[in-house]
Amino acid sequence: MTATILNLPSLYDPFSTEAKWQKFWEDNQVYKADPNHNGEPYCIVIPPPNVTGSLHMGHAFESALIDTLVRYHRMQGRNTLWLPGTDHASIAVHTMLEKQLKTEGKTRYELGRDQFLERAWQWKAESEGTIVNQLRRLGVSADWSRERFTLDEGLSKAVVEAFTRLYEEGLIYRGEYLVNWCPASQSAVSDVEVENQEVNGNLWHFRYPLTDGSGFVEVATTRPETMLGDTAVAVNPNDDRYKHLIGKTLTLPILQREIPIISDEFVDPTFGTGCVKVTPAHDLNDFDMGKRHNLPLINIMNKDGTLNANAGEFQGQDRFVARKNVVSRLEADGVLVKIEDYKHTVPYSDRGKVPIEPLLSTQWFVKIRPLADKTLEFLDGQNSPEFVPQRWTKVYRDWLVKLKDWCISRQLWWGHQIPAWYAVSETDGQVTDNTPFVVAKSEEEAWDKAKAQFGENVKLKQDPDVLDTWFSSGLWPFSTLGWPEQTQDLTTYYPTTTLVTGFDIIFFWVARMTMMAGHFTEKMPFQTVYIHGLVLDEKGQKMSKTKGNGIDPLLLIDKYGTDALRYTLIREVAGAGQDIRLEYDRKKDESPSVEASRNFANKLWNAARFVMINLDGQTPAQLGQPLSTELSDRWILSRYNQTVKQTSNYIDNYGLGEAAKGLYEFIWGDFCDQYIELVKSRLQPDADPASRRVAQQTLAYVLEGILKLLHPFMPHITEEIWQSLTQQPVDSPQTLPLQPYPQVDANLIDSALEEQFELLIDTIRTIRNLRAEADVKPGVKVTANLQTESEKERQILTAGQVYIKDLAKVETLTITDKQKSQTVAVKKPQKGLKVIGLTILGIVFARLGFAVGNTIYETPIVGAFFEMVGFLYAAWFVTENLLTAETRQKLWRQFFPETEVQQAQEPENAIAGVIGTIQVVIPLSGVVDIEVVRAKLEKSLTKAEAEIQSLSGRLKNPNFVDKARPDVVQGARDALAEAEKQAEILRERLRSLGL
């Protein structure tokens, strides 16, 4: 392989390039981690996507952030592991399979557990590669040899170990408790799987009569069907309206059950009537109140959301159908008082998408306080883990403080089956709330324990429920590394370094991991939690399936390439944890922002082609380190090292967006637009050989550094260019991901030089802009006069005048002090002898005149007369020839007609601009057709003034301002402001041209 133009086609093709390098990296196990590798460990475990999933923009964003960090730290020489894997997603898979069975006219119960699980594993085998292969298309540098799945053998072993340990330590128990029940999936769900939605509902008021017939109390509820399970009515003990009723009883309408009136400080006297119906089996607050007052718990609900026998005549009805029928019955019985419109919050199942039903159920729970308190000790005592941005620390802490016991059992089949076996022989072959059980790591161990406890004839049945998915995910950082075995991976890479995740799963997942890790490993599972924001759509709204406003990352990858999408997502981050907005045209399925990143890739590609064309087939290593003495070389090396320093600082502090933007500015602006243009003349064959070689060295050195700096953000294009630039052998090439990241050479940083060079660049840019404004043709060179009062600025401009003339196409450049009059006498060299001769002749005649004068002066009367005449003539001569600059110049020309006197003046028909305190003047006479320029400017001005008149008229019209949509009115105001600004610019251009 040779570094010639043949290695880089004229156009960059991201699709073939990206596929080629993704295959190469995986085939050669470039990212395989080695615990024996030197270097400080750096480990990230992937937030495991659901095995049911496909790549969405959130995955792409998160993976791009992680991969940037991983690639950067790998190039920094750290022993790096990014461990990938997927989650079994109990509810999602279960829901999907049950929908399939429904289309076949079957249920999972008809199919049976074993066949249902066979079907689930078959589906997993067929579809699990979807999300994984899509992640691979992002070019992520994960160690796929260590890919894990939460139901694989090793992780299942860890789950059983964790469950049995917690149970033996008294931190897991089985008991009856009110849980969040999802009738759609017919499973308990945790608090963090509940999504609160604001709905427009009703508040129903009805009367409960006192049993002694002395009156009634009025209650209000948003769920009237639950009154069938009421076991009391509560009032506040300090509410004077009801103190006399405390201890009396009421007759429950419809069911005619006698229930007490109790007092409890939980009751808010200002809500409704101040009387609260108490349904302990169907409301969490009522459940707690029922425990305080020893109230019975009456469950009226089946697991599918229908009412059971305790609901009397409403048995078998769906809960929402029963609601209407209960209200109708209360109205018919004359106890319904009124119905109010009422906006309130209703908890919905995040998976089942139906309202949650608080349901009394026997479930497995984790005693959460010991785990949460230990986690709080790490946070408060060691600030571990550290959150970025820091504001999420308080959110995380507050949630740990408020945690209640965690319901970990789910009434599903796909997942980790609970390792508990019931001795059904003790309860007539049935599993009841009171059936004794044993917890064991295996069925064999369970039989041994059961026989020892209940005798040889014991019959066992394993708990059919599975564990909450978040139980196994909570072990992810250490179970994936081999725990509970003390593996080499666990010793080397645990605790992991950084967790990158979204704020929406701090409660679902992050806290579960810290609590589990603190208990089982005595360490926090990661040093830092980097919380990223969301990817919002083009309108700044959260993407969701419900809204249908998602943007398919694969579509954008197919259109613009992986590197372009990755770079866009990272560049848009304005600060750690901030949401980003992605520009998108839904009609065309195009993204201007991703297209801009593709253009950036093309810019880099073309710059690399230019550099390699001009290296004479040499690599950066062959050319060697540049020893630059020229101003432009020293400037680009200083800017490069500043960029190295800045980029590393940003990434080290999770400023990935700032790092990406800084690289863009340096690569596109400083390197491509400035330095390459500055050295083009030095690369010509007839250029000075020493200067040419330094230019080659500098170009090669900086380009290779750029490729390394940019690689974590855009891995594919940088690898492709680097392979060609460094002439890697085809059969056994080195690879860019394993190269060292650039280090700062502080000796090459010259901030003063950069500041001075910035002045030169701004001057060049201003001259270019003035040329464009005046429609000066690209090939035409101009005259430019730079005027400044600053001696320092004049020195900088003088030192860089060769760059100004070259890049701005200036033929004649003058640099002057605009405060001083620029009057100079310039003699024509060929007239010098004539001037000398006239001077000698003048001296001879002067001496002759003096002699004659002395003779006349000595003559009486005549001498006095000539003295007076001489005085008067002297006065006239001074007045006529010496008092003004114009008369002095005229006199000078009489004696020295070959000499010119020039005074610097701004020529007419010139265009001017300003950079700080520097004024730039470009004469246009003879350069452009002034009349053509004038006509174009006046035509544009007329158009702008017509638009101003039209928009002003609309905005003065009350009908338009008052009746049009606010966004339309604001759009007209914005357009008017823009038109006025444009008109003022055009007038100023006309004035500057002397028109």
Side-chain angles (χ1 to χ4, degrees):
M1 185 180 291
T2 58
T4 67
I5 195 59
L6 297 178
N7 286 330
L8 289 182
S10 58
L11 295 176
Y12 174 56
D13 176 14
F15 312 109
S16 60
T17 298
E18 290 168 356
K20 175 178 70 175
W21 289 114
Q22 287 162 10
K23 184 176 187 304
F24 174 86
W25 292 328
E26 284 198 40
D27 289 349
N28 291 274
Q29 294 189 318
V30 171
Y31 307 125
K32 183 175 177 60
D34 180 1
N36 297 313
H37 188 277
N38 294 328
E40 181 184 359
Y42 184 88
C43 180
I44 289 183
V45 292
I46 193 173
N50 289 347
V51 72
T52 59
S54 60
L55 191 71
H56 58 65
M57 198 58 74
H59 289 136
F61 180 40
E62 186 170 79
S63 297
L65 292 170
I66 296 174
D67 197 48
T68 299
L69 289 171
V70 169
R71 288 181 182 274
Y72 168 76
H73 285 286
R74 184 183 291 113
M75 295 178 75
Q76 289 283 8
R78 300 186 68 174
N79 185 355
T80 305
L81 167 63
W82 180 7
L83 197 151
T86 50
D87 186 270
H88 62 277
S90 288
I91 295 177
V93 173
H94 227 276
T95 302
M96 186 268 306
L97 289 176
E98 288 195 312
K99 285 181 179 179
Q100 288 183 0
L101 289 172
K102 187 175 182 180
T103 62
E104 299 170 12
K106 301 176 183 177
T107 68
R108 61 167 163 145
Y109 300 103
E110 293 171 346
L111 196 65
R113 186 181 190 113
D114 290 341
Q115 289 189 37
F116 181 86
L117 290 178
E118 283 180 13
R119 190 161 180 160
W121 279 104
Q122 181 182 358
W123 176 88
K124 184 258 183 187
E126 294 172 354
S127 62
E128 73 169 325
T130 300
I131 184 69
V132 170
N133 290 333
Q134 289 170 344
L135 286 172
R136 282 182 159 111
R137 281 202 66 187
L138 287 172
V140 297
S141 59
D143 182 353
W144 294 104
S145 70
R146 284 175 164 84
E147 182 184 352
R148 306 307 298 267
F149 175 56
T150 46
L151 284 181
D152 68 27
E153 183 178 354
L155 270 64
S156 296
K157 179 180 179 181
V159 168
V160 171
E161 179 72 22
F163 185 96
T164 54
R165 281 199 203 178
L166 289 172
Y167 176 77
E168 290 166 359
E169 294 166 1
L171 296 177
I172 282 183
Y173 64 93
R174 183 173 183 259
E176 189 178 52
Y177 200 78
L178 206 64
V179 299
N180 297 310
W181 187 264
C182 173
S185 60
Q186 294 191 38
S187 174
V189 297
S190 69
D191 290 341
V192 293
E193 293 170 301
V194 173
E195 179 184 357
N196 290 313
Q197 299 182 17
E198 192 172 61
V199 300
N200 293 315
N202 297 105
L203 190 63
W204 287 269
H205 292 250
F206 42 90
R207 300 187 182 103
Y208 285 8
L210 288 160
T211 306
D212 60 12
S214 61
F216 60 85
V217 296
E218 183 179 325
V219 299
T221 181
T222 59
R223 299 160 65 214
E225 72 281 2
T226 61
M227 59 86 62
L228 302 171
D230 286 357
T231 56
V233 167
V235 299
N236 190 289
N238 300 314
D239 192 337
D240 293 335
R241 294 173 296 174
Y242 304 115
K243 282 183 178 180
H244 66 289
L245 298 179
I246 297 171
K248 291 190 174 185
T249 61
L250 302 164
T251 300
L252 183 68
I254 302 178
L255 294 180
Q256 301 300 305
R257 186 166 61 241
E258 189 173 358
I259 59 176
I261 298 175
I262 63 174
S263 65
D264 196 290
E265 292 186 353
F266 172 78
V267 178
D268 180 2
T270 64
F271 176 77
T273 63
C275 296
V276 177
K277 59 187 286 301
V278 183
T279 318
H282 292 282
D283 183 274
L284 184 59
N285 294 322
D286 291 2
F287 179 79
D288 292 337
M289 202 183 307
K291 287 196 295 184
R292 289 195 293 271
H293 297 274
N294 295 315
L295 298 176
L297 293 91
I298 300 176
N299 175 28
I300 63 165
M301 195 82 63
N302 294 316
K303 292 181 178 180
D304 62 356
T306 60
L307 272 58
N308 61 24
N310 290 329
E313 64 187 82
F314 305 101
Q315 181 180 0
Q317 296 180 9
D318 177 79
R319 53 182 170 159
F320 298 115
V321 174
R323 176 175 296 177
K324 295 179 181 179
N325 293 335
V326 166
V327 171
S328 296
R329 172 65 187 274
L330 292 172
E331 184 176 22
D333 290 348
V335 296
L336 178 65
V337 179
K338 60 181 178 179
I339 304 174
E340 296 178 322
D341 292 334
Y342 186 62
K343 181 176 286 189
H344 63 119
T345 299
V346 174
Y348 274 71
S349 168
D350 185 59
R351 292 294 184 185
K353 307 303 180 186
V354 297
I356 285 293
E357 191 64 45
L359 188 69
L360 193 66
S361 178
T362 299
Q363 302 285 345
W364 291 90
F365 296 88
V366 173
K367 289 184 180 178
I368 212 68
R369 279 272 45 95
L371 276 65
D373 289 344
K374 188 168 189 175
T375 306
L376 284 168
E377 290 177 9
F378 279 101
L379 183 66
D380 295 339
Q382 305 173 30
N383 190 32
S384 180
E386 180 180 0
F387 278 79
V388 177
Q390 193 174 5
R391 66 178 180 272
W392 290 107
T393 304
K394 184 177 186 304
V395 176
Y396 166 76
R397 189 186 191 285
D398 289 347
W399 193 74
L400 286 172
V401 169
K402 298 174 183 177
L403 271 178
K404 296 181 179 179
D405 285 1
W406 173 17
C407 176
I408 56 172
S409 47
R410 300 289 182 267
Q411 286 63 55
L412 305 170
W413 289 348
W414 174 247
H416 294 101
Q417 191 170 355
I418 293 174
W421 283 261
Y422 298 99
V424 293
S425 54
E426 306 301 304
T427 51
D428 297 327
Q430 300 295 318
V431 177
T432 69
D433 291 349
N434 298 316
T435 302
F437 59 86
V438 294
V439 170
K441 295 180 181 179
S442 65
E443 185 174 4
E444 181 182 4
E445 182 182 333
W447 277 109
D448 291 342
K449 286 185 175 182
K451 288 177 181 178
Q453 188 173 348
F454 304 107
E456 289 292 330
N457 295 324
V458 66
K459 293 182 179 180
L460 295 180
K461 182 179 181 180
Q462 187 173 359
D463 194 313
D465 293 349
V466 299
L467 288 167
D468 176 13
T469 301
W470 298 107
F471 188 92
S472 55
S473 296
L475 309 174
W476 184 257
F478 47 97
S479 64
T480 53
L481 294 172
W483 186 89
E485 305 300 326
Q486 194 61 38
T487 64
Q488 193 173 7
D489 274 2
L490 187 66
T491 301
T492 303
Y493 297 112
Y494 186 83
T496 66
T497 313
T498 306
L499 174 72
V500 180
T501 190
F503 64 85
D504 50 338
I505 58 172
I506 290 178
F507 314 132
F508 283 94
W509 189 44
V510 178
R512 306 290 192 212
M513 288 188 287
T514 56
M515 288 189 293
M516 290 291 208
H519 183 77
F520 289 116
T521 72
E522 298 291 333
K523 299 174 183 177
M524 287 296 94
F526 20 74
Q527 298 169 17
T528 305
V529 181
Y530 171 46
I531 300 293
H532 62 73
L534 302 175
V535 183
L536 306 178
D537 70 5
E538 67 278 12
K539 296 180 181 178
Q541 297 179 344
K542 181 180 178 181
M543 296 184 196
S544 70
K545 291 181 180 179
T546 304
K547 294 179 181 178
N549 64 336
I551 301 173
D552 185 358
L554 295 174
L555 187 152
L556 295 179
I557 288 174
D558 290 338
K559 188 179 289 286
Y560 302 110
T562 295
D563 281 350
L565 177 62
R566 285 173 54 125
Y567 183 76
T568 301
L569 293 173
I570 297 173
R571 185 192 60 202
E572 292 299 317
V573 181
Q578 296 300 307
D579 294 341
I580 68 171
R581 179 175 173 175
L582 187 62
E583 292 181 277
Y584 191 63
D585 184 335
R586 293 187 181 274
K587 293 181 179 179
K588 299 179 180 179
D589 284 330
E590 295 177 348
S591 172
S593 53
V594 183
E595 183 177 1
S597 295
R598 183 196 62 187
N599 295 341
F600 175 50
N602 290 336
K603 182 81 170 181
L604 175 63
W605 183 265
N606 292 331
R609 277 170 44 85
F610 172 82
V611 170
M612 282 187 271
I613 286 173
N614 287 280
L615 295 184
D616 299 332
Q618 299 176 89
T619 67
Q622 291 168 341
L623 286 164
Q625 184 86 6
L627 297 174
S628 304
T629 56
E630 293 201 21
L631 189 66
S632 60
D633 299 333
R634 290 189 287 113
W635 167 74
I636 195 65
L637 289 173
S638 181
R639 287 293 304 122
Y640 166 72
N641 279 278
Q642 289 277 28
T643 304
V644 172
K645 180 180 179 182
Q646 172 184 282
T647 304
S648 294
N649 286 341
Y650 276 136
I651 299 178
D652 288 339
N653 292 283
Y654 299 95
L656 304 185
E658 291 85 349
K661 286 188 278 286
L663 286 172
Y664 180 95
E665 292 167 1
F666 172 72
I667 295 168
W668 190 300
D670 295 339
F671 185 68
C672 296
D673 283 355
Q674 303 302 334
Y675 183 70
I676 286 180
E677 293 300 317
L678 288 168
V679 299
K680 279 184 176 179
S681 60
R682 295 165 57 194
L683 296 171
Q684 299 303 313
D686 58 348
D688 175 66
S691 178
R692 186 172 189 270
R693 182 164 183 82
V694 171
Q696 290 176 324
Q697 289 174 326
T698 308
L699 282 168
Y701 174 79
V702 176
L703 176 59
E704 184 176 17
I706 283 172
L707 298 174
K708 292 178 179 179
L709 288 172
L710 190 61
H711 178 74
F713 302 88
M714 304 180 83
H716 305 90
I717 187 173
T718 51
E719 176 78 279
E720 179 77 3
I721 296 172
W722 185 83
Q723 291 285 330
S724 184
L725 176 67
T726 58
Q727 300 184 42
Q728 293 299 313
V730 175
D731 52 349
S732 58
Q734 296 184 48
T735 184
L736 182 56
L738 301 182
Q739 300 306 303
Y741 203 72
Q743 300 298 310
V744 179
D745 186 344
N747 294 323
L748 295 178
I749 294 178
D750 188 338
S751 299
L753 172 63
E754 290 184 38
E755 184 179 350
Q756 295 169 15
F757 214 85
E758 191 65 31
L759 180 65
L760 294 176
I761 291 172
D762 288 343
T763 302
I764 294 167
R765 186 181 297 116
T766 300
I767 295 175
R768 284 175 165 177
N769 291 341
L770 291 174
R771 290 174 58 102
E773 288 179 15
D775 287 333
V776 178
K777 293 181 179 179
V780 175
K781 291 193 174 183
V782 299
T783 296
N785 182 17
L786 308 181
Q787 301 173 3
T788 175
E789 301 172 21
S790 169
E791 175 65 24
K792 180 180 178 181
E793 288 182 343
R794 291 197 297 275
Q795 291 175 356
I796 295 170
L797 295 171
T798 301
Q801 59 184 321
V802 64
Y803 304 127
I804 298 173
K805 295 175 73 173
D806 190 16
L807 295 189
K809 290 189 170 59
V810 174
E811 183 172 19
T812 304
L813 179 67
T814 58
I815 303 166
T816 61
D817 184 344
K818 64 182 178 181
Q819 287 296 316
K820 294 182 178 180
S821 174
Q822 302 299 315
T823 303
V824 292
V826 182
K827 295 181 178 180
K828 296 182 180 179
Q830 66 270 28
K831 303 298 183 179
L833 292 176
K834 184 180 291 187
V835 172
I836 295 172
L838 288 173
T839 302
I840 296 172
L841 185 61
I843 293 172
V844 171
F845 276 105
R847 290 186 63 82
L848 180 61
F850 283 135
V852 174
N854 286 336
T855 303
I856 295 173
Y857 188 78
E858 292 174 358
T859 304
I861 301 176
V862 176
F865 173 77
F866 274 99
E867 185 175 355
M868 179 60 68
V869 171
F871 176 79
L872 293 174
Y873 180 83
W876 171 85
F877 185 90
V878 170
T879 301
E880 288 294 314
N881 297 289
L882 300 179
L883 284 181
T884 68
E886 184 178 355
T887 56
R888 289 194 297 272
Q889 293 173 20
K890 183 178 180 181
L891 177 64
W892 183 265
R893 283 194 294 270
Q894 287 176 350
F895 288 94
F896 300 96
E898 296 82 9
T899 302
E900 298 177 357
V901 178
Q902 298 177 341
Q903 182 171 358
Q905 297 177 349
E906 288 187 14
E908 293 183 0
N909 299 331
I911 190 168
V914 176
I915 318 109
T917 61
I918 301 172
Q919 184 174 15
V920 180
V921 180
I922 300 177
L924 296 178
S925 297
V927 177
V928 296
D929 188 329
I930 300 297
E931 287 304 312
V932 172
V933 175
R934 178 189 64 77
K936 289 178 64 177
L937 291 174
E938 288 183 342
K939 183 178 179 181
S940 298
L941 179 59
T942 300
K943 183 178 178 182
E945 288 175 337
E947 186 175 4
I948 291 170
Q949 185 176 1
S950 173
L951 290 167
S952 298
R954 292 180 69 190
L955 290 169
K956 289 177 182 177
N957 184 348
N959 290 329
F960 171 71
V961 175
D962 296 338
K963 295 180 180 180
R965 295 199 318 270
D967 61 316
V968 174
V969 176
Q970 185 59 47
R973 289 183 178 133
D974 293 342
L976 176 60
E978 181 62 28
E980 289 174 338
K981 180 179 178 182
Q982 185 64 26
E984 181 56 35
I985 291 173
L986 291 168
R987 293 188 192 101
E988 180 59 34
R989 288 181 182 175
L990 283 166
R991 283 194 294 270
S992 69
L993 290 171
L995 303 176

